[in-house]
Amino acid sequence: MGLADASGPRDTQALLSATQAMELRRRDYHMERPLLNQEHLEELGRWGSAPRTRQWRTWLQCSHARARALLLQHLPVLVWLPRYPVRDWLLGDLLSGMSVAIMQLPQGLAYALLAGLPPVFGLYSSFYPVFVYFLFGTSRHISVATPGPLPVLTAPGHPTGGAGPDPLRLPGHLPVRASCPRLYHSCSCAGLRLTAQVCVWPPSEQPLWATVPHLLLEVCRKLPQSKVGTVVTAAVAGVVLVVVKLLNDKLQRQLPMPIPGELLMLIGATGISYGIGLRDGSEVDVVGNISAGLVPPVAPNTQLFSKLVGSAFTIAVVGFAIAISLGKIFALRHGYRVDSNQELVALGLSNLIGGIFQCFPVSCSMSRSLVQESTGGNSQVAGAISSLFILLIIVKLGEFFRDLPKAVLAAIVIVNLKGMLRQLSDVCSLWKANRADLLIWLVTFAATILLNMDLGLMVAVVFSLLLVVVRTQMPHYSILGQVPDTDIYRDVAEYSEAKEVPGVKVFRSSATVYFANADFYSDALKQRCGVDVDFLISRKKKLLKKREQLKLKQLQKEEKLQKQAASSKGASVSINVNTSLEDMRSNNVEDCKVMQVGPGDKMEDATANGQEDSKAPDGSTLKALGLPQPDFHSLILDLGALSFVDTVCLKSLKNIFHDFREIEVEVYMAACHSPVVSQLEAGHFFDASITKKHLFASVHDAVTFALQHPRPVPDSPVSVTRL
């Protein structure tokens, strides 16, 4: 029993060690396959061009199923509303819609005044576009209304602004695709601009062309003209709103819904103003009459279209950037998909129909969208409920706010710009994450401050495109080495254990090669290889030319000596000498022709065997000419980063093959994607000298082949590599 007990743990330990060894063996990666170049790979995989799908044929098809699919695609409410879970979502949407409507009421009035329009137009803009988005939008959580940047672009005295009986309308849907993170940077400056504009002029005198420094100087210049009652009213209202928002942030988990600070401020300020009679002869301006009821639709003024194109484009791009950015954030957070194209259609229709009913441009509001999500909003029903609540105010309750001080609305605007101004803190995070994005942020911010919103946005977009071009011109070039006991190749400067394969150089670029960076690619390749290729080729040509000239001079000298010897002898002897001289001359000429034609014949033979430049005889090798030889015999270009090739790239690659073969280095390519291979074929890159046998499926395949076909020793005649 004792021996059995002693042997039990020993057997268990041996079994565990055997199991661990099996697990380790299972983790090893073993594979045996033939060495594959592109030609063999196409034969093995039966490669063929992918069939082209002609989508236009499906566009022209007409059927009941297609008509139904188009209707459901462009009217999403028909898809999700029949499946709406009433018991689970209705209460949250109802609470969320009421909360958003409470915020929309004061902010709509404030932004209408800021845009230079009567306050009721702010209520119209909070009803019509919101209900239209309920029918056509795909995001469940964004709240459509007027965000902060758009009133900056809709001002009196500018083609996009107007008030009174003939207000301006911005119709149409613009099919624009924008880089949302780039365009959203301009919102920080829009917050500063809005803050300055609220403090400077009455809405009827706000010029859109005024830059932020000019606005700030104007604020300082008009400080002595400030009305004490207006400043005190705005300051008190601002402090109260800030305190309420801080309480909402602190008690977010305990409160079922945020405290409606704007609504309470609206009701309280209106009651106080009515009680003390601010409307009658006071220095504090009030909103004034708000007409009750809806207005009939009015067709847009076509004479203004030519003046509206530039501003309408800017408004559409900024509005779409804000909406799609927030929409995708909420979609990722809640696990659904937002259709960018349909969002553009929904926003366009919202502004089109809203413009007919005298609304100013709308997009997505960040603060109201966050409130809609945090208060339990689950679908677009929340937006519909908020729009119906605004409709009730337009029809019945709007006239009760005629005694509301405008200073309170100004305070509401400035306090709600907190989210935009908070983006100034992005500088620190971008400095750590991506300094190229930080540079775009700074350029966008500076251009929007020093120029106008639309000009600043244009500068930002152009700068972003230029930066993309510059970044493709400065990619990361690297020489790759093999990670020990693997078929993986990494940058030797980054991986200390990665070692270069003796006799083989592997070069890689992190960006595609095209006309803008093809020369940089060639220069970086020659520099990283450690060989002055151009100098060697130049010296080789000079030495070969000098050798030919010496041979020619020696031949002429021998002919001259033969002539002198022939003239000093008799006629019979002279005839014999001349005959022999002619034989020698013909022999020398034949030798010279052989010397000159021989390499050409060998080149043709090499071409037939897949080589462009045949290696010359011993007399023309680098070693025979006394030139330094490269310490590698093969160069492999890792083209895995190429996404396309153009004609300049094709010429550059051919020049690389030619130049390195001149210095007795064979060139191979590896890891090309199928579309790139098709483009190489279409550009007639492959020929008798550069075949698909020079292109390998992976870098390791190319390295293995290069090691099997090294450069011949210099003492023996250089032969052509037969692939």
Side-chain angles (χ1 to χ4, degrees):
M1 288 296 293
L3 291 174
D5 294 339
S7 62
R10 214 175 303 159
D11 294 340
T12 303
Q13 186 176 2
L15 183 60
L16 287 175
S17 60
T19 304
Q20 292 174 355
M22 289 178 64
E23 287 294 331
L24 290 176
R25 281 197 296 271
R26 287 175 185 171
R27 295 176 187 172
D28 292 341
Y29 176 67
H30 297 288
M31 177 177 289
E32 292 184 3
R33 63 172 178 82
L35 189 148
L36 294 176
N37 56 35
Q38 185 64 28
E39 188 175 296
H40 295 155
L41 181 61
E42 291 178 3
E43 293 177 359
L44 182 64
R46 296 182 181 180
W47 177 79
S49 58
R52 294 183 179 180
T53 58
R54 299 181 179 179
Q55 193 173 4
W56 59 270
R57 289 185 176 180
T58 61
W59 295 343
L60 300 178
Q61 291 177 356
C62 184
S63 64
H64 176 74
R66 176 158 177 77
R68 183 176 182 275
L70 287 175
L71 180 63
L72 296 180
Q73 177 183 355
H74 295 292
L75 199 60
V77 68
L78 299 179
V79 178
W80 61 264
L81 190 58
R83 309 173 187 172
Y84 183 77
V86 178
R87 293 183 179 179
D88 298 333
W89 286 7
L90 182 59
L91 182 60
D93 285 338
L94 182 62
L95 182 62
S96 176
M98 295 296 294
S99 302
V100 171
I102 289 171
M103 293 184 65
Q104 277 184 342
L105 173 60
Q107 291 185 14
L109 297 173
Y111 284 137
L113 291 174
L114 183 61
L117 301 173
V120 70
F121 288 163
L123 299 180
Y124 296 157
S125 301
S126 300
F127 168 63
Y128 291 105
V130 176
F131 194 79
V132 172
Y133 185 84
F134 160 75
L135 300 175
F136 294 94
T138 60
S139 176
R140 302 176 187 170
H141 295 89
I142 67 172
S143 175
V144 174
T146 302
L150 295 193
V152 181
L153 299 172
T154 309
H158 189 267
T160 58
D166 189 19
L168 177 88
R169 287 161 282 286
L170 297 177
H173 121 250
L174 300 177
V176 179
R177 291 182 178 272
S179 176
C180 301
R182 306 287 188 267
L183 300 177
Y184 204 68
H185 295 332
S186 61
C187 294
S188 299
C189 180
L192 294 177
R193 183 184 178 87
L194 274 170
T195 306
Q197 278 189 328
V198 168
C199 299
V200 181
W201 289 290
S204 59
E205 301 176 7
Q206 294 178 6
L208 184 65
W209 49 262
T211 59
V212 172
H214 179 75
L215 291 172
L216 295 177
L217 289 176
E218 202 66 22
V219 170
C220 298
R221 188 174 67 86
K222 290 194 174 183
L223 279 178
Q225 304 175 17
S226 301
K227 298 179 180 179
V228 178
T230 303
V231 173
V232 171
T233 302
V236 172
V239 170
V240 173
L241 286 175
V242 169
V243 171
V244 172
K245 287 186 177 293
L246 291 176
L247 288 175
N248 285 333
D249 294 338
K250 190 173 183 180
L251 304 176
Q252 183 177 4
R253 296 182 179 180
Q254 288 79 12
L255 296 175
M257 61 174 292
I259 301 173
E262 287 88 352
L263 181 62
L264 295 178
M265 177 61 63
L266 214 66
I267 296 173
T270 303
I272 294 174
S273 173
Y274 179 79
I276 63 178
L278 290 180
R279 189 179 182 184
D280 301 327
S282 175
E283 61 179 9
V284 180
D285 294 334
V286 296
V287 171
N289 292 326
I290 299 179
S291 58
L294 299 174
V295 294
V298 180
N301 187 357
T302 57
Q303 296 178 355
L304 297 176
F305 280 6
S306 60
K307 299 179 181 180
L308 287 175
V309 172
S311 300
F313 179 81
T314 304
I315 291 173
V317 171
V318 174
F320 177 66
I322 297 173
I324 198 62
S325 297
L326 288 177
K328 288 189 174 182
I329 290 173
F330 290 130
L332 289 175
R333 186 179 299 176
H334 295 277
Y336 62 92
R337 182 178 176 273
V338 171
D339 188 349
S340 301
N341 292 330
Q342 184 60 29
E343 284 296 296
L344 199 55
V345 172
L347 290 175
L349 288 175
S350 298
N351 284 286
L352 173 63
I353 297 175
I356 294 175
F357 287 95
Q358 303 186 10
C359 303
F360 52 85
V362 299
S363 179
C364 169
S365 170
M366 180 191 298
S367 59
R368 290 190 289 276
S369 298
L370 292 174
V371 169
Q372 181 170 323
E373 183 204 24
S374 61
T375 54
N378 298 297
S379 68
Q380 295 92 321
V381 173
I385 293 173
S386 67
S387 66
L388 294 177
F389 183 80
I390 296 296
L391 175 62
L392 177 63
I393 295 176
I394 293 173
V395 175
K396 292 295 183 183
L397 304 179
E399 58 185 10
F400 291 107
F401 295 102
R402 60 185 181 182
D403 292 317
L404 175 66
K406 291 182 179 180
V408 175
L409 296 178
I412 292 174
V413 171
I414 294 176
V415 171
N416 280 283
L417 293 176
K418 178 183 65 174
M420 291 185 185
L421 299 177
R422 190 180 294 173
Q423 292 184 27
L424 295 172
S425 62
D426 291 348
V427 174
C428 299
S429 59
L430 288 175
W431 175 264
K432 299 177 182 178
N434 193 320
R435 297 186 182 180
D437 281 351
L438 173 62
L439 183 60
I440 296 175
W441 194 100
L442 295 175
V443 170
T444 306
F445 186 80
T448 313
I449 283 183
L450 300 177
L451 304 174
N452 198 5
M453 272 285 291
D454 44 5
L455 293 178
L457 183 61
M458 186 183 302
V459 170
V461 172
V462 172
F463 180 78
S464 299
L465 296 176
L466 291 177
L467 188 60
V468 170
V469 176
V470 171
R471 293 176 76 174
T472 59
Q473 290 185 342
M474 296 187 298
H476 178 67
Y477 298 110
S478 55
I479 295 293
L480 305 184
Q482 184 180 15
V483 179
D485 301 326
T486 67
D487 60 347
I488 299 173
Y489 293 80
R490 291 293 182 266
D491 188 357
V492 295
E494 297 177 353
Y495 291 78
S496 59
E497 291 298 322
K499 305 298 180 183
E500 292 187 45
V501 179
V504 179
K505 287 282 185 182
V506 184
F507 180 77
R508 182 178 65 189
S509 169
S510 62
T512 190
V513 183
Y514 67 113
F515 71 93
N517 63 357
D519 291 337
F520 296 105
Y521 181 85
S522 300
D523 295 340
L525 170 62
K526 295 173 182 178
Q527 181 183 2
R528 295 300 177 94
C529 288
V531 178
D532 195 341
V533 179
D534 297 331
F535 174 77
L536 285 179
I537 294 175
S538 176
R539 289 291 300 162
K540 181 180 179 180
K541 290 181 178 179
K542 288 182 180 179
L543 291 175
L544 289 176
K545 185 177 181 181
K546 187 176 181 181
R547 177 175 291 184
E548 290 178 0
Q549 291 176 352
L550 290 175
K551 286 183 180 180
L552 184 59
K553 288 181 180 180
Q554 185 178 2
L555 181 60
Q556 292 175 353
K557 186 177 181 180
E558 290 178 357
E559 290 180 355
K560 188 176 181 181
L561 291 175
Q562 292 292 340
K563 287 180 180 180
Q564 292 176 357
S567 62
S568 63
K569 294 186 178 180
S572 60
V573 178
S574 177
I575 293 172
N576 294 332
V577 171
N578 288 334
T579 304
S580 63
L581 181 59
E582 290 176 359
D583 295 337
M584 291 177 61
R585 189 176 298 172
S586 62
N587 291 334
N588 288 333
V589 171
E590 289 177 359
D591 292 340
C592 183
K593 288 182 178 179
V594 169
M595 188 179 303
Q596 294 177 356
V597 177
D601 296 337
K602 290 186 178 182
M603 185 185 301
E604 294 176 359
D605 180 69
T607 300
N609 291 281
Q611 183 88 10
E612 178 184 4
D613 297 327
S614 68
K615 303 299 191 249
D618 290 345
S620 61
T621 61
L622 294 177
K623 184 175 182 181
L625 294 173
L627 296 175
Q629 292 178 288
D631 58 352
F632 57 96
H633 56 77
S634 299
L635 171 66
I636 298 172
L637 304 177
D638 183 0
L639 303 182
L642 262 66
S643 57
F644 68 93
V645 292
D646 56 8
T647 55
V648 178
C649 176
L650 295 178
K651 292 179 181 179
S652 179
L653 291 176
K654 283 196 172 185
N655 290 336
I656 290 172
F657 270 83
H658 177 270
D659 292 346
F660 277 90
R661 283 175 175 175
E662 283 286 333
I663 62 171
E664 303 167 12
V665 174
E666 187 53 54
V667 183
Y668 304 100
M669 301 181 295
C672 266
H673 302 295
S674 295
V676 177
V677 177
S678 300
Q679 293 174 13
L680 292 175
E681 287 182 332
H684 304 289
F685 177 77
F686 297 110
D687 52 21
S689 61
I690 306 175
T691 67
K692 288 187 177 180
K693 293 181 180 179
H694 289 86
L695 177 59
F696 291 87
S698 68
V699 174
H700 190 64
D701 287 329
V703 171
T704 304
F705 183 86
L707 293 177
Q708 294 174 358
H709 299 76
R711 179 177 57 197
V713 293
D715 294 334
S716 62
V718 179
S719 62
V720 177
T721 302
R722 296 182 181 272
L723 300 178

